[in-house]
Amino acid sequence: MVKVVGVKFRQGGKTYYFDPAEMDINAGDELVVETARGIEYGKAVFGVKLVDNSDVVQPLKPVIRKATEEDARIHAEMQKKRDHALALCEEKIAARGLDMKLVDVEYTFDKSKVIFYFTSDGRVDFRELVKDLAGAFKMRIELRQIGVRDETKMMGGIGPCGRDLCCHRFLEDFETVSIKMAKNQNLSLNPTKISGICGRLMCCLQYENDTYCALKKGMPSPGDYVDTPDGKAVVDDVNILQNRVRTRLITEEAKGDKPEKLSSEYYIYAKEEVTRDNTRKKQGRRPDNRPQNKETEVSEKELAALED
């Protein structure tokens, strides 16, 4: 086990481990720490605790000190410079005609480097831009290209649920989200319903995915033939969370070119009360025999573009 303290440098950023040495550090304390980028100013997410050696990348960088009033003043001054740095960089980008969108800027606490974050659809040759910025700021310049999810994580916003975006509020790492997760939950595959403001699939699709996968085991699909306590039937719809299967009983078997006749009433059973009839071919109809809404039809290629 190794003694660590967790530190964040920005809202929505990752938590990094540092060596607290012999200092008594509590959650919320502002700290000056040594990082690979230089000396930086951060806030303790949690106080000193022991973690397993396998969770730590050695050697741990040290906490230099708890932030003093002077440190806090310097940090506030660096934050105030961000607006000017953003405006100047955008001016240089426009002058060079570069296809890139500036997202944010960050000064290291020791004033040794300015980091600019940007997005772009492709690779950008920004070597001349770096020279322009270095001449203007008289500091080391780093331009870092990020993805659209990282941009949204940095900027924050309000999700379709009406709450702060998960990625900005508490998610430290992005997990894989796929179209299959939306299908598992019987969600509409309309991109406007399942994508976040970043234009990618919503992170929350994976929150309940394991539960849906567990509940779907043994659950028939719409169009399946099943045996029920009242006879053979065709599955019309399923409710995964309520563990219910809605069916229409077969009142007359198919003869020749004539399809079987189904009851006009619906019969609802628990998943455990029905068993698939694998000897019959699945019905080629949509639930409730409703025509597909052409406005919400989306190609597999368009859906795949939502995955990151």
Side-chain angles (χ1 to χ4, degrees), residues 83-289:
D83 290 342
H84 171 69
L86 282 169
L88 181 58
C89 186
E90 286 175 342
E91 180 184 318
K92 300 293 184 183
I93 290 172
R96 291 286 178 183
L98 298 175
D99 183 19
M100 56 193 290
K101 176 187 174 184
L102 189 63
V103 176
D104 201 3
V105 62
E106 192 175 67
Y107 283 86
T108 56
F109 182 72
D110 58 5
K111 303 179 183 180
S112 64
K113 184 192 295 185
V114 189
I115 304 167
F116 294 91
Y117 298 92
F118 72 93
T119 60
S120 177
D121 291 334
R123 298 187 65 179
V124 180
D125 184 356
F126 48 69
R127 287 174 293 184
E128 295 303 317
L129 175 62
V130 171
K131 293 178 182 178
D132 293 343
L133 295 173
F137 288 96
K138 309 300 181 185
M139 298 168 67
R140 289 173 56 201
I141 303 296
E142 180 179 334
L143 271 76
R144 186 174 297 178
Q145 186 170 357
I146 60 175
V148 290
R149 279 190 163 178
D150 296 301
E151 175 188 4
T152 304
K153 183 179 177 67
M154 280 186 174
M155 304 304 293
I158 304 298
C161 59
R163 305 184 67 180
D164 290 341
L165 295 177
C166 297
C167 59
H168 182 71
R169 184 159 52 97
F170 66 87
L171 288 181
E172 295 195 356
D173 294 300
F174 291 113
E175 295 190 26
T176 301
V177 185
S178 68
I179 288 295
K180 185 177 180 181
M181 293 180 180
K183 293 178 178 178
N184 286 342
Q185 298 170 53
N186 288 341
L187 298 176
S188 167
L189 298 185
N190 185 334
T192 62
K193 301 292 186 181
I194 58 176
S195 57
I197 63 176
C198 62
R200 299 293 187 266
L201 292 174
M202 292 189 292
C203 294
C204 55
L205 289 180
Q206 56 91 17
Y207 293 172
E208 299 176 356
N209 186 60
D210 290 344
T211 299
Y212 273 89
C213 288
L215 294 176
K216 282 188 71 174
K217 289 181 179 178
M219 179 75 79
S221 302
D224 280 350
Y225 286 92
V226 293
D227 291 316
T228 75
D230 298 302
K232 295 187 180 300
V234 177
V235 176
D236 185 77
D237 198 10
V238 297
N239 189 313
I240 297 172
L241 294 180
Q242 292 184 358
N243 198 40
R244 293 289 184 264
V245 181
R246 190 174 73 182
T247 70
R248 296 173 68 185
L249 295 179
I250 299 174
T251 57
E252 188 177 320
E253 294 288 348
K255 293 181 181 178
D257 294 334
K258 293 183 179 180
E260 75 276 356
K261 291 184 179 180
L262 303 179
S263 63
S264 57
E265 300 86 6
Y266 294 114
Y267 293 79
I268 299 176
Y269 305 96
K271 177 177 68 175
E272 296 77 15
E273 295 180 295
V274 302
T275 55
R276 281 195 186 92
D277 184 353
N278 294 321
T279 63
R280 299 192 186 209
K281 186 177 179 181
K282 182 177 180 177
Q283 283 274 14
R285 60 160 64 95
R286 293 174 59 80
D288 287 338
N289 295 325

Side-chain angles (χ1 to χ4, degrees), residues 4-22:
V4 302
V5 61
V7 179
K8 275 189 178 183
F9 299 103
R10 61 162 59 233
Q11 173 69 33
K14 291 184 179 180
T15 299
Y16 296 92
Y17 290 156
F18 288 88
D19 179 3
E22 300 303 318

